[in-house]
Amino acid sequence: MQSAGRQPRLRLLVLGGTGFVSGAVAAEAVTRGHDVTCVARGTGTPPPEGARLFRADRNEPAALAGLKDSRFDAAVETATLALPWVGDALRTLAADHWTFVSSISVYADTWTPGQTAHSGRLRPALPSDTARYDPERDPEPSQARYGGVKVACERLIGEATDDRALIVRPGLLVGPGDDVSPFGYWPVRMARGATAAVPPAVSADGVPLPAQCLDVRDLAAWIVDGAEERTAGTFDAAGPPLALPTLLQEIAEAVGAPTLETVEVPEETLHEAGVNPWTGPGSLPLWPPRALYGVLSRDVSASLAAGLRARPIGETAGDVLRDRLERGAGKGLAAGLTPVAEASLLHLLGY
Ligand SMILES: NC(=O)c1ccc[n+]([C@@H]2O[C@H](COP(=O)([O-])OP(=O)(O)OC[C@H]3O[C@@H](n4cnc5c(N)ncnc54)[C@H](OP(=O)(O)O)[C@@H]3O)[C@@H](O)[C@H]2O)c1
C-alpha cells in the first residue's frame, strides 16, 4: 500500500461524489492520496480529478451489482431521501467502515438551545418510506419526512454495522460551490459596500438571534478522518454557536468594502415590509424564525472533542466571494434582497 501522509492508502467509496457535500468528501480524500471511487449517474459536475466514477442510477434495480466483488476500506453514504438506496448499498457492498451523512433535521425539538446529539428526542423514524426520491415530484419534502427518513437510514446503518458507523448530522453547510444556502448572500452583499440592511441582534421580544454553520470542507475533512480512524458514533456536524451579529461582523471584516455601513432592521419592520426570514428570494438571509433557534445553537462540544475543526467564518466568506465572482453565481438570487428591495426597506427606517 502507498502512503497518504501517515495514513495507509484507503480504498474509499463515496456514494455520491459529484455534489456539494459528497464532492467535497471525494476531493478531500483524493488530496490525501486515497483511492476514491464515486457512485453517481454522472449527470452534472464530474467527480474530482483523481477519483473514478462508477456510473449508476440508484433508482434502477441492482444498480450497485457491478461493485459486488470489490472490497472497500470505507464507504461514505450521502443519500438524501432514499432508504431503499441505503438498504441496497448495505446488502451489496463490502466496506470495513461506514459513514452516513444524516441531518440536523432528525431532531424533533428545533426550538430549545444548547441540546447535544444525545439529549433530544428524534423525529419518528419512517422505515416504511420506501419511495424512490424524485426531487421533481417532491422538491421540498416536509421536515417530518426528511428527518424521519434520515432517522430510519441511521438505524439501518447502525444495525448493519453493530453501531460501528460514523453518523454525522450536518446543520447549515456553507462554502464555495453552494448556490442555495442563505450564507452565500452575505459575502457578496458586504463586498458591495454602502448601507446594508442586516437582521437585528435580538428578536422583537428581546432574545439574542443565533447563528451556526459549518464549512463543507471542514465536514469533508472530518469524514475522511473518521474513515481513516474508523470512528464510530453519532455527532452533530456544525461549527460553534455564535450570535448572529458576530457572524455577520466576521464576514464584514473579511470581505466588506471600505464604504460598508450596516443597519440593523428591527423584526417588526421586517414583518411590516413583508421580508421573509431565513432564506429564499425576498428574504433577509440568516434572519432565523423562532422555530430554528434550537437548530442554530446546538452544543457541539462532543463533535469538536471528536476532531471536528471549524475554520474561521471570515475565511469561508472570502472563499465564497471569490467562488461566486469567478463563476458569476448567484445572479438569480436564490436567497436575499434585491438592491431595490433593500433600499426600500432602509427607506422605512429613514435612510
Ligand atoms: N447541503 C446542506 O446544507 C446539508 C445539510 C444537512 C444535511 N445534508 C445532507 O448531505 C447529503 C448531501 O447533500 P447534497 O445536497 O449536497 O447532495 P450531494 O452531495 O450534491 O449529492 C448528491 C449526489 O447524489 C448523486 N445522485 C443523485 N441522484 C442519483 C441517482 N438516482 N443515482 C445515483 N446517484 C445519484 C448525485 O450525482 P448525479 O446527479 O450525477 O447522479 C450527487 O453525486 C444529503 O444526504 C443531505 O441530506 C446537506
Side-chain angles (χ1 to χ4, degrees), residues 107 116-117 167-169 212 214 222 234-239 298-310:
Y107 299 114
T116 72
I167 292 175
V168 292
R169 295 172 174 164
Q212 197 166 27
L214 181 67
W222 192 37
T234 300
F235 300 93
D236 287 343
R298 308 239 357 136
D299 174 353
V300 291
S301 43
S303 312
L304 300 172
L308 174 64
R309 295 284 167 267

mmCIF file with all atom_site columns, all heavy atoms in Angstrom, residues 107 116-117 167-169 212 214 222 234-239 298-310:
data_model
loop_
_atom_site.group_PDB
_atom_site.id
_atom_site.type_symbol
_atom_site.label_atom_id
_atom_site.label_alt_id
_atom_site.label_comp_id
_atom_site.label_asym_id
_atom_site.label_entity_id
_atom_site.label_seq_id
_atom_site.pdbx_PDB_ins_code
_atom_site.Cartn_x
_atom_site.Cartn_y
_atom_site.Cartn_z
_atom_site.occupancy
_atom_site.B_iso_or_equiv
_atom_site.pdbx_formal_charge
_atom_site.auth_seq_id
_atom_site.auth_comp_id
_atom_site.auth_asym_id
_atom_site.auth_atom_id
_atom_site.pdbx_PDB_model_num
ATOM 1   N N   . TYR A 1 107 ? -33.909 15.930 14.544 1.00 0.00 ? 107 TYR A N   1
ATOM 2   C CA  . TYR A 1 107 ? -34.372 16.268 15.891 1.00 0.00 ? 107 TYR A CA  1
ATOM 3   C C   . TYR A 1 107 ? -35.802 16.789 15.877 1.00 0.00 ? 107 TYR A C   1
ATOM 4   O O   . TYR A 1 107 ? -36.161 17.632 15.049 1.00 0.00 ? 107 TYR A O   1
ATOM 5   C CB  . TYR A 1 107 ? -33.455 17.319 16.523 1.00 0.00 ? 107 TYR A CB  1
ATOM 6   C CG  . TYR A 1 107 ? -32.035 16.807 16.658 1.00 0.00 ? 107 TYR A CG  1
ATOM 7   C CD1 . TYR A 1 107 ? -30.998 17.382 15.934 1.00 0.00 ? 107 TYR A CD1 1
ATOM 8   C CD2 . TYR A 1 107 ? -31.756 15.720 17.478 1.00 0.00 ? 107 TYR A CD2 1
ATOM 9   C CE1 . TYR A 1 107 ? -29.706 16.893 16.039 1.00 0.00 ? 107 TYR A CE1 1
ATOM 10  C CE2 . TYR A 1 107 ? -30.461 15.223 17.580 1.00 0.00 ? 107 TYR A CE2 1
ATOM 11  C CZ  . TYR A 1 107 ? -29.442 15.818 16.862 1.00 0.00 ? 107 TYR A CZ  1
ATOM 12  O OH  . TYR A 1 107 ? -28.174 15.323 16.948 1.00 0.00 ? 107 TYR A OH  1
ATOM 13  N N   . THR A 1 116 ? -27.582 18.512 22.804 1.00 0.00 ? 116 THR A N   1
ATOM 14  C CA  . THR A 1 116 ? -26.488 17.728 22.231 1.00 0.00 ? 116 THR A CA  1
ATOM 15  C C   . THR A 1 116 ? -27.088 16.623 21.351 1.00 0.00 ? 116 THR A C   1
ATOM 16  O O   . THR A 1 116 ? -28.305 16.418 21.348 1.00 0.00 ? 116 THR A O   1
ATOM 17  C CB  . THR A 1 116 ? -25.652 17.052 23.331 1.00 0.00 ? 116 THR A CB  1
ATOM 18  O OG1 . THR A 1 116 ? -26.444 15.987 23.899 1.00 0.00 ? 116 THR A OG1 1
ATOM 19  C CG2 . THR A 1 116 ? -25.245 18.028 24.421 1.00 0.00 ? 116 THR A CG2 1
ATOM 20  N N   . ALA A 1 117 ? -26.223 15.889 20.673 1.00 0.00 ? 117 ALA A N   1
ATOM 21  C CA  . ALA A 1 117 ? -26.699 14.832 19.779 1.00 0.00 ? 117 ALA A CA  1
ATOM 22  C C   . ALA A 1 117 ? -27.436 13.736 20.549 1.00 0.00 ? 117 ALA A C   1
ATOM 23  O O   . ALA A 1 117 ? -28.147 12.940 19.950 1.00 0.00 ? 117 ALA A O   1
ATOM 24  C CB  . ALA A 1 117 ? -25.519 14.236 19.011 1.00 0.00 ? 117 ALA A CB  1
ATOM 25  N N   . ILE A 1 167 ? -21.947 8.444  12.191 1.00 0.00 ? 167 ILE A N   1
ATOM 26  C CA  . ILE A 1 167 ? -23.148 9.133  11.699 1.00 0.00 ? 167 ILE A CA  1
ATOM 27  C C   . ILE A 1 167 ? -22.999 10.608 12.007 1.00 0.00 ? 167 ILE A C   1
ATOM 28  O O   . ILE A 1 167 ? -22.836 10.985 13.173 1.00 0.00 ? 167 ILE A O   1
ATOM 29  C CB  . ILE A 1 167 ? -24.409 8.542  12.345 1.00 0.00 ? 167 ILE A CB  1
ATOM 30  C CG1 . ILE A 1 167 ? -24.573 7.109  11.809 1.00 0.00 ? 167 ILE A CG1 1
ATOM 31  C CG2 . ILE A 1 167 ? -25.638 9.392  12.033 1.00 0.00 ? 167 ILE A CG2 1
ATOM 32  C CD1 . ILE A 1 167 ? -25.670 6.312  12.408 1.00 0.00 ? 167 ILE A CD1 1
ATOM 33  N N   . VAL A 1 168 ? -22.987 11.428 10.950 1.00 0.00 ? 168 VAL A N   1
ATOM 34  C CA  . VAL A 1 168 ? -22.834 12.875 11.152 1.00 0.00 ? 168 VAL A CA  1
ATOM 35  C C   . VAL A 1 168 ? -24.135 13.557 10.753 1.00 0.00 ? 168 VAL A C   1
ATOM 36  O O   . VAL A 1 168 ? -24.752 13.208 9.753  1.00 0.00 ? 168 VAL A O   1
ATOM 37  C CB  . VAL A 1 168 ? -21.638 13.461 10.357 1.00 0.00 ? 168 VAL A CB  1
ATOM 38  C CG1 . VAL A 1 168 ? -20.330 12.946 10.925 1.00 0.00 ? 168 VAL A CG1 1
ATOM 39  C CG2 . VAL A 1 168 ? -21.727 13.165 8.872  1.00 0.00 ? 168 VAL A CG2 1
ATOM 40  N N   . ARG A 1 169 ? -24.543 14.519 11.568 1.00 0.00 ? 169 ARG A N   1
ATOM 41  C CA  . ARG A 1 169 ? -25.816 15.225 11.344 1.00 0.00 ? 169 ARG A CA  1
ATOM 42  C C   . ARG A 1 169 ? -25.526 16.699 11.077 1.00 0.00 ? 169 ARG A C   1
ATOM 43  O O   . ARG A 1 169 ? -25.482 17.519 12.002 1.00 0.00 ? 169 ARG A O   1
ATOM 44  C CB  . ARG A 1 169 ? -26.695 15.095 12.594 1.00 0.00 ? 169 ARG A CB  1
ATOM 45  C CG  . ARG A 1 169 ? -27.128 13.654 12.884 1.00 0.00 ? 169 ARG A CG  1
ATOM 46  C CD  . ARG A 1 169 ? -27.824 13.543 14.222 1.00 0.00 ? 169 ARG A CD  1
ATOM 47  N NE  . ARG A 1 169 ? -28.375 12.213 14.446 1.00 0.00 ? 169 ARG A NE  1
ATOM 48  C CZ  . ARG A 1 169 ? -28.767 11.754 15.636 1.00 0.00 ? 169 ARG A CZ  1
ATOM 49  N NH1 . ARG A 1 169 ? -28.648 12.521 16.722 1.00 0.00 ? 169 ARG A NH1 1
ATOM 50  N NH2 . ARG A 1 169 ? -29.258 10.546 15.758 1.00 0.00 ? 169 ARG A NH2 1
ATOM 51  N N   . GLN A 1 212 ? -25.332 29.415 13.330 1.00 0.00 ? 212 GLN A N   1
ATOM 52  C CA  . GLN A 1 212 ? -24.420 28.263 13.431 1.00 0.00 ? 212 GLN A CA  1
ATOM 53  C C   . GLN A 1 212 ? -24.301 27.639 12.044 1.00 0.00 ? 212 GLN A C   1
ATOM 54  O O   . GLN A 1 212 ? -25.303 27.363 11.393 1.00 0.00 ? 212 GLN A O   1
ATOM 55  C CB  . GLN A 1 212 ? -24.995 27.236 14.420 1.00 0.00 ? 212 GLN A CB  1
ATOM 56  C CG  . GLN A 1 212 ? -23.996 26.216 14.913 1.00 0.00 ? 212 GLN A CG  1
ATOM 57  C CD  . GLN A 1 212 ? -24.504 25.450 16.127 1.00 0.00 ? 212 GLN A CD  1
ATOM 58  O OE1 . GLN A 1 212 ? -25.712 25.296 16.323 1.00 0.00 ? 212 GLN A OE1 1
ATOM 59  N NE2 . GLN A 1 212 ? -23.595 24.953 16.956 1.00 0.00 ? 212 GLN A NE2 1
ATOM 60  N N   . LEU A 1 214 ? -21.304 25.431 9.181  1.00 0.00 ? 214 LEU A N   1
ATOM 61  C CA  . LEU A 1 214 ? -20.027 24.718 9.051  1.00 0.00 ? 214 LEU A CA  1
ATOM 62  C C   . LEU A 1 214 ? -19.597 24.750 7.590  1.00 0.00 ? 214 LEU A C   1
ATOM 63  O O   . LEU A 1 214 ? -20.418 24.515 6.694  1.00 0.00 ? 214 LEU A O   1
ATOM 64  C CB  . LEU A 1 214 ? -20.188 23.258 9.508  1.00 0.00 ? 214 LEU A CB  1
ATOM 65  C CG  . LEU A 1 214 ? -18.930 22.391 9.455  1.00 0.00 ? 214 LEU A CG  1
ATOM 66  C CD1 . LEU A 1 214 ? -17.896 22.865 10.484 1.00 0.00 ? 214 LEU A CD1 1
ATOM 67  C CD2 . LEU A 1 214 ? -19.270 20.926 9.699  1.00 0.00 ? 214 LEU A CD2 1
ATOM 68  N N   . TRP A 1 222 ? -13.356 16.016 8.298  1.00 0.00 ? 222 TRP A N   1
ATOM 69  C CA  . TRP A 1 222 ? -13.713 15.231 9.486  1.00 0.00 ? 222 TRP A CA  1
ATOM 70  C C   . TRP A 1 222 ? -14.205 13.837 9.077  1.00 0.00 ? 222 TRP A C   1
ATOM 71  O O   . TRP A 1 222 ? -13.892 12.834 9.715  1.00 0.00 ? 222 TRP A O   1
ATOM 72  C CB  . TRP A 1 222 ? -14.774 15.995 10.268 1.00 0.00 ? 222 TRP A CB  1
ATOM 73  C CG  . TRP A 1 222 ? -15.055 15.489 11.634 1.00 0.00 ? 222 TRP A CG  1
ATOM 74  C CD1 . TRP A 1 222 ? -14.150 14.978 12.536 1.00 0.00 ? 222 TRP A CD1 1
ATOM 75  C CD2 . TRP A 1 222 ? -16.328 15.443 12.281 1.00 0.00 ? 222 TRP A CD2 1
ATOM 76  N NE1 . TRP A 1 222 ? -14.797 14.639 13.701 1.00 0.00 ? 222 TRP A NE1 1
ATOM 77  C CE2 . TRP A 1 222 ? -16.130 14.921 13.574 1.00 0.00 ? 222 TRP A CE2 1
ATOM 78  C CE3 . TRP A 1 222 ? -17.607 15.817 11.896 1.00 0.00 ? 222 TRP A CE3 1
ATOM 79  C CZ2 . TRP A 1 222 ? -17.178 14.749 14.483 1.00 0.00 ? 222 TRP A CZ2 1
ATOM 80  C CZ3 . TRP A 1 222 ? -18.638 15.664 12.812 1.00 0.00 ? 222 TRP A CZ3 1
ATOM 81  C CH2 . TRP A 1 222 ? -18.432 15.119 14.078 1.00 0.00 ? 222 TRP A CH2 1
ATOM 82  N N   . THR A 1 234 ? -22.336 8.952  16.874 1.00 0.00 ? 234 THR A N   1
ATOM 83  C CA  . THR A 1 234 ? -23.281 9.869  16.237 1.00 0.00 ? 234 THR A CA  1
ATOM 84  C C   . THR A 1 234 ? -23.016 11.275 16.749 1.00 0.00 ? 234 THR A C   1
ATOM 85  O O   . THR A 1 234 ? -22.981 11.494 17.964 1.00 0.00 ? 234 THR A O   1
ATOM 86  C CB  . THR A 1 234 ? -24.726 9.442  16.581 1.00 0.00 ? 234 THR A CB  1
ATOM 87  O OG1 . THR A 1 234 ? -24.916 8.109  16.092 1.00 0.00 ? 234 THR A OG1 1
ATOM 88  C CG2 . THR A 1 234 ? -25.738 10.368 15.942 1.00 0.00 ? 234 THR A CG2 1
ATOM 89  N N   . PHE A 1 235 ? -22.823 12.194 15.801 1.00 0.00 ? 235 PHE A N   1
ATOM 90  C CA  . PHE A 1 235 ? -22.404 13.555 16.167 1.00 0.00 ? 235 PHE A CA  1
ATOM 91  C C   . PHE A 1 235 ? -23.144 14.579 15.313 1.00 0.00 ? 235 PHE A C   1
ATOM 92  O O   . PHE A 1 235 ? -23.420 14.337 14.136 1.00 0.00 ? 235 PHE A O   1
ATOM 93  C CB  . PHE A 1 235 ? -20.901 13.752 15.897 1.00 0.00 ? 235 PHE A CB  1
ATOM 94  C CG  . PHE A 1 235 ? -20.007 12.820 16.660 1.00 0.00 ? 235 PHE A CG  1
ATOM 95  C CD1 . PHE A 1 235 ? -19.593 11.612 16.098 1.00 0.00 ? 235 PHE A CD1 1
ATOM 96  C CD2 . PHE A 1 235 ? -19.574 13.146 17.941 1.00 0.00 ? 235 PHE A CD2 1
ATOM 97  C CE1 . PHE A 1 235 ? -18.761 10.748 16.797 1.00 0.00 ? 235 PHE A CE1 1
ATOM 98  C CE2 . PHE A 1 235 ? -18.744 12.292 18.647 1.00 0.00 ? 235 PHE A CE2 1
ATOM 99  C CZ  . PHE A 1 235 ? -18.334 11.092 18.078 1.00 0.00 ? 235 PHE A CZ  1
ATOM 100 N N   . ASP A 1 236 ? -23.367 15.762 15.903 1.00 0.00 ? 236 ASP A N   1
ATOM 101 C CA  . ASP A 1 236 ? -23.792 16.905 15.101 1.00 0.00 ? 236 ASP A CA  1
ATOM 102 C C   . ASP A 1 236 ? -22.598 17.402 14.297 1.00 0.00 ? 236 ASP A C   1
ATOM 103 O O   . ASP A 1 236 ? -21.454 17.338 14.773 1.00 0.00 ? 236 ASP A O   1
ATOM 104 C CB  . ASP A 1 236 ? -24.287 18.044 16.003 1.00 0.00 ? 236 ASP A CB  1
ATOM 105 C CG  . ASP A 1 236 ? -25.649 17.736 16.609 1.00 0.00 ? 236 ASP A CG  1
ATOM 106 O OD1 . ASP A 1 236 ? -26.334 16.829 16.105 1.00 0.00 ? 236 ASP A OD1 1
ATOM 107 O OD2 . ASP A 1 236 ? -26.019 18.415 17.587 1.00 0.00 ? 236 ASP A OD2 1
ATOM 108 N N   . ALA A 1 237 ? -22.866 17.886 13.097 1.00 0.00 ? 237 ALA A N   1
ATOM 109 C CA  . ALA A 1 237 ? -21.796 18.459 12.281 1.00 0.00 ? 237 ALA A CA  1
ATOM 110 C C   . ALA A 1 237 ? -22.113 19.931 12.078 1.00 0.00 ? 237 ALA A C   1
ATOM 111 O O   . ALA A 1 237 ? -22.788 20.322 11.124 1.00 0.00 ? 237 ALA A O   1
ATOM 112 C CB  . ALA A 1 237 ? -21.698 17.729 10.941 1.00 0.00 ? 237 ALA A CB  1
ATOM 113 N N   . ALA A 1 238 ? -21.666 20.739 13.031 1.00 0.00 ? 238 ALA A N   1
ATOM 114 C CA  . ALA A 1 238 ? -21.902 22.186 12.979 1.00 0.00 ? 238 ALA A CA  1
ATOM 115 C C   . ALA A 1 238 ? -20.741 22.867 13.679 1.00 0.00 ? 238 ALA A C   1
ATOM 116 O O   . ALA A 1 238 ? -20.100 22.272 14.555 1.00 0.00 ? 238 ALA A O   1
ATOM 117 C CB  . ALA A 1 238 ? -23.221 22.527 13.672 1.00 0.00 ? 238 ALA A CB  1
ATOM 118 N N   . GLY A 1 239 ? -20.494 24.101 13.280 1.00 0.00 ? 239 GLY A N   1
ATOM 119 C CA  . GLY A 1 239 ? -19.463 24.875 13.959 1.00 0.00 ? 239 GLY A CA  1
ATOM 120 C C   . GLY A 1 239 ? -19.979 25.355 15.313 1.00 0.00 ? 239 GLY A C   1
ATOM 121 O O   . GLY A 1 239 ? -21.137 25.123 15.669 1.00 0.00 ? 239 GLY A O   1
ATOM 122 N N   . ARG A 1 298 ? -26.811 24.566 18.786 1.00 0.00 ? 298 ARG A N   1
ATOM 123 C CA  . ARG A 1 298 ? -26.557 23.224 19.321 1.00 0.00 ? 298 ARG A CA  1
ATOM 124 C C   . ARG A 1 298 ? -25.212 23.216 20.061 1.00 0.00 ? 298 ARG A C   1
ATOM 125 O O   . ARG A 1 298 ? -24.284 23.928 19.697 1.00 0.00 ? 298 ARG A O   1
ATOM 126 C CB  . ARG A 1 298 ? -26.528 22.202 18.181 1.00 0.00 ? 298 ARG A CB  1
ATOM 127 C CG  . ARG A 1 298 ? -27.758 22.292 17.305 1.00 0.00 ? 298 ARG A CG  1
ATOM 128 C CD  . ARG A 1 298 ? -28.618 21.095 17.168 1.00 0.00 ? 298 ARG A CD  1
ATOM 129 N NE  . ARG A 1 298 ? -28.264 19.891 17.785 1.00 0.00 ? 298 ARG A NE  1
ATOM 130 C CZ  . ARG A 1 298 ? -29.115 19.103 18.464 1.00 0.00 ? 298 ARG A CZ  1
ATOM 131 N NH1 . ARG A 1 298 ? -30.376 19.476 18.615 1.00 0.00 ? 298 ARG A NH1 1
ATOM 132 N NH2 . ARG A 1 298 ? -28.722 17.969 18.982 1.00 0.00 ? 298 ARG A NH2 1
ATOM 133 N N   . ASP A 1 299 ? -25.171 22.418 21.078 1.00 0.00 ? 299 ASP A N   1
ATOM 134 C CA  . ASP A 1 299 ? -23.919 22.226 21.821 1.00 0.00 ? 299 ASP A CA  1
ATOM 135 C C   . ASP A 1 299 ? -23.102 21.163 21.075 1.00 0.00 ? 299 ASP A C   1
ATOM 136 O O   . ASP A 1 299 ? -23.443 19.985 21.085 1.00 0.00 ? 299 ASP A O   1
ATOM 137 C CB  . ASP A 1 299 ? -24.251 21.752 23.236 1.00 0.00 ? 299 ASP A CB  1
ATOM 138 C CG  . ASP A 1 299 ? -22.999 21.382 24.025 1.00 0.00 ? 299 ASP A CG  1
ATOM 139 O OD1 . ASP A 1 299 ? -21.896 21.359 23.446 1.00 0.00 ? 299 ASP A OD1 1
ATOM 140 O OD2 . ASP A 1 299 ? -23.141 21.093 25.237 1.00 0.00 ? 299 ASP A OD2 1
ATOM 141 N N   . VAL A 1 300 ? -22.057 21.608 20.390 1.00 0.00 ? 300 VAL A N   1
ATOM 142 C CA  . VAL A 1 300 ? -21.271 20.685 19.553 1.00 0.00 ? 300 VAL A CA  1
ATOM 143 C C   . VAL A 1 300 ? -19.933 20.349 20.203 1.00 0.00 ? 300 VAL A C   1
ATOM 144 O O   . VAL A 1 300 ? -18.997 19.929 19.517 1.00 0.00 ? 300 VAL A O   1
ATOM 145 C CB  . VAL A 1 300 ? -21.058 21.254 18.129 1.00 0.00 ? 300 VAL A CB  1
ATOM 146 C CG1 . VAL A 1 300 ? -22.355 21.288 17.360 1.00 0.00 ? 300 VAL A CG1 1
ATOM 147 C CG2 . VAL A 1 300 ? -20.420 22.638 18.163 1.00 0.00 ? 300 VAL A CG2 1
ATOM 148 N N   . SER A 1 301 ? -19.840 20.483 21.532 1.00 0.00 ? 301 SER A N   1
ATOM 149 C CA  . SER A 1 301 ? -18.545 20.223 22.164 1.00 0.00 ? 301 SER A CA  1
ATOM 150 C C   . SER A 1 301 ? -18.094 18.776 21.932 1.00 0.00 ? 301 SER A C   1
ATOM 151 O O   . SER A 1 301 ? -16.894 18.525 21.767 1.00 0.00 ? 301 SER A O   1
ATOM 152 C CB  . SER A 1 301 ? -18.565 20.585 23.649 1.00 0.00 ? 301 SER A CB  1
ATOM 153 O OG  . SER A 1 301 ? -19.740 20.158 24.244 1.00 0.00 ? 301 SER A OG  1
ATOM 154 N N   . ALA A 1 302 ? -19.051 17.826 21.872 1.00 0.00 ? 302 ALA A N   1
ATOM 155 C CA  . ALA A 1 302 ? -18.646 16.423 21.638 1.00 0.00 ? 302 ALA A CA  1
ATOM 156 C C   . ALA A 1 302 ? -18.045 16.262 20.238 1.00 0.00 ? 302 ALA A C   1
ATOM 157 O O   . ALA A 1 302 ? -17.081 15.511 20.044 1.00 0.00 ? 302 ALA A O   1
ATOM 158 C CB  . ALA A 1 302 ? -19.846 15.494 21.807 1.00 0.00 ? 302 ALA A CB  1
ATOM 159 N N   . SER A 1 303 ? -18.592 16.976 19.266 1.00 0.00 ? 303 SER A N   1
ATOM 160 C CA  . SER A 1 303 ? -18.066 16.887 17.891 1.00 0.00 ? 303 SER A CA  1
ATOM 161 C C   . SER A 1 303 ? -16.662 17.490 17.828 1.00 0.00 ? 303 SER A C   1
ATOM 162 O O   . SER A 1 303 ? -15.757 16.922 17.202 1.00 0.00 ? 303 SER A O   1
ATOM 163 C CB  . SER A 1 303 ? -18.985 17.635 16.928 1.00 0.00 ? 303 SER A CB  1
ATOM 164 O OG  . SER A 1 303 ? -20.323 17.270 17.142 1.00 0.00 ? 303 SER A OG  1
ATOM 165 N N   . LEU A 1 304 ? -16.482 18.634 18.491 1.00 0.00 ? 304 LEU A N   1
ATOM 166 C CA  . LEU A 1 304 ? -15.165 19.283 18.482 1.00 0.00 ? 304 LEU A CA  1
ATOM 167 C C   . LEU A 1 304 ? -14.150 18.392 19.211 1.00 0.00 ? 304 LEU A C   1
ATOM 168 O O   . LEU A 1 304 ? -13.012 18.234 18.759 1.00 0.00 ? 304 LEU A O   1
ATOM 169 C CB  . LEU A 1 304 ? -15.236 20.669 19.116 1.00 0.00 ? 304 LEU A CB  1
ATOM 170 C CG  . LEU A 1 304 ? -16.203 21.650 18.408 1.00 0.00 ? 304 LEU A CG  1
ATOM 171 C CD1 . LEU A 1 304 ? -16.356 22.938 19.213 1.00 0.00 ? 304 LEU A CD1 1
ATOM 172 C CD2 . LEU A 1 304 ? -15.734 21.972 16.989 1.00 0.00 ? 304 LEU A CD2 1
ATOM 173 N N   . ALA A 1 305 ? -14.590 17.751 20.297 1.00 0.00 ? 305 ALA A N   1
ATOM 174 C CA  . ALA A 1 305 ? -13.695 16.847 21.027 1.00 0.00 ? 305 ALA A CA  1
ATOM 175 C C   . ALA A 1 305 ? -13.362 15.615 20.176 1.00 0.00 ? 305 ALA A C   1
ATOM 176 O O   . ALA A 1 305 ? -12.301 15.016 20.332 1.00 0.00 ? 305 ALA A O   1
ATOM 177 C CB  . ALA A 1 305 ? -14.346 16.419 22.344 1.00 0.00 ? 305 ALA A CB  1
ATOM 178 N N   . ALA A 1 306 ? -14.275 15.260 19.260 1.00 0.00 ? 306 ALA A N   1
ATOM 179 C CA  . ALA A 1 306 ? -14.051 14.099 18.393 1.00 0.00 ? 306 ALA A CA  1
ATOM 180 C C   . ALA A 1 306 ? -13.310 14.486 17.112 1.00 0.00 ? 306 ALA A C   1
ATOM 181 O O   . ALA A 1 306 ? -13.232 13.684 16.179 1.00 0.00 ? 306 ALA A O   1
ATOM 182 C CB  . ALA A 1 306 ? -15.378 13.436 18.054 1.00 0.00 ? 306 ALA A CB  1
ATOM 183 N N   . GLY A 1 307 ? -12.778 15.686 17.055 1.00 0.00 ? 307 GLY A N   1
ATOM 184 C CA  . GLY A 1 307 ? -11.879 16.026 15.948 1.00 0.00 ? 307 GLY A CA  1
ATOM 185 C C   . GLY A 1 307 ? -12.420 16.984 14.916 1.00 0.00 ? 307 GLY A C   1
ATOM 186 O O   . GLY A 1 307 ? -11.703 17.340 13.980 1.00 0.00 ? 307 GLY A O   1
ATOM 187 N N   . LEU A 1 308 ? -13.695 17.404 15.026 1.00 0.00 ? 308 LEU A N   1
ATOM 188 C CA  . LEU A 1 308 ? -14.203 18.382 14.055 1.00 0.00 ? 308 LEU A CA  1
ATOM 189 C C   . LEU A 1 308 ? -13.482 19.713 14.251 1.00 0.00 ? 308 LEU A C   1
ATOM 190 O O   . LEU A 1 308 ? -13.412 20.224 15.364 1.00 0.00 ? 308 LEU A O   1
ATOM 191 C CB  . LEU A 1 308 ? -15.713 18.574 14.253 1.00 0.00 ? 308 LEU A CB  1
ATOM 192 C CG  . LEU A 1 308 ? -16.348 19.673 13.401 1.00 0.00 ? 308 LEU A CG  1
ATOM 193 C CD1 . LEU A 1 308 ? -16.253 19.355 11.911 1.00 0.00 ? 308 LEU A CD1 1
ATOM 194 C CD2 . LEU A 1 308 ? -17.821 19.881 13.793 1.00 0.00 ? 308 LEU A CD2 1
ATOM 195 N N   . ARG A 1 309 ? -12.943 20.255 13.167 1.00 0.00 ? 309 ARG A N   1
ATOM 196 C CA  . ARG A 1 309 ? -12.278 21.567 13.222 1.00 0.00 ? 309 ARG A CA  1
ATOM 197 C C   . ARG A 1 309 ? -13.033 22.519 12.310 1.00 0.00 ? 309 ARG A C   1
ATOM 198 O O   . ARG A 1 309 ? -13.138 22.262 11.107 1.00 0.00 ? 309 ARG A O   1
ATOM 199 C CB  . ARG A 1 309 ? -10.820 21.456 12.738 1.00 0.00 ? 309 ARG A CB  1
ATOM 200 C CG  . ARG A 1 309 ? -9.938  20.608 13.613 1.00 0.00 ? 309 ARG A CG  1
ATOM 201 C CD  . ARG A 1 309 ? -9.524  21.325 14.906 1.00 0.00 ? 309 ARG A CD  1
ATOM 202 N NE  . ARG A 1 309 ? -8.941  20.409 15.878 1.00 0.00 ? 309 ARG A NE  1
ATOM 203 C CZ  . ARG A 1 309 ? -9.623  19.784 16.842 1.00 0.00 ? 309 ARG A CZ  1
ATOM 204 N NH1 . ARG A 1 309 ? -10.914 19.969 16.997 1.00 0.00 ? 309 ARG A NH1 1
ATOM 205 N NH2 . ARG A 1 309 ? -9.026  18.947 17.671 1.00 0.00 ? 309 ARG A NH2 1
ATOM 206 N N   . ALA A 1 310 ? -13.531 23.615 12.876 1.00 0.00 ? 310 ALA A N   1
ATOM 207 C CA  . ALA A 1 310 ? -14.286 24.587 12.073 1.00 0.00 ? 310 ALA A CA  1
ATOM 208 C C   . ALA A 1 310 ? -13.408 25.797 11.813 1.00 0.00 ? 310 ALA A C   1
ATOM 209 O O   . ALA A 1 310 ? -12.957 26.450 12.745 1.00 0.00 ? 310 ALA A O   1
ATOM 210 C CB  . ALA A 1 310 ? -15.556 24.990 12.826 1.00 0.00 ? 310 ALA A CB  1
#
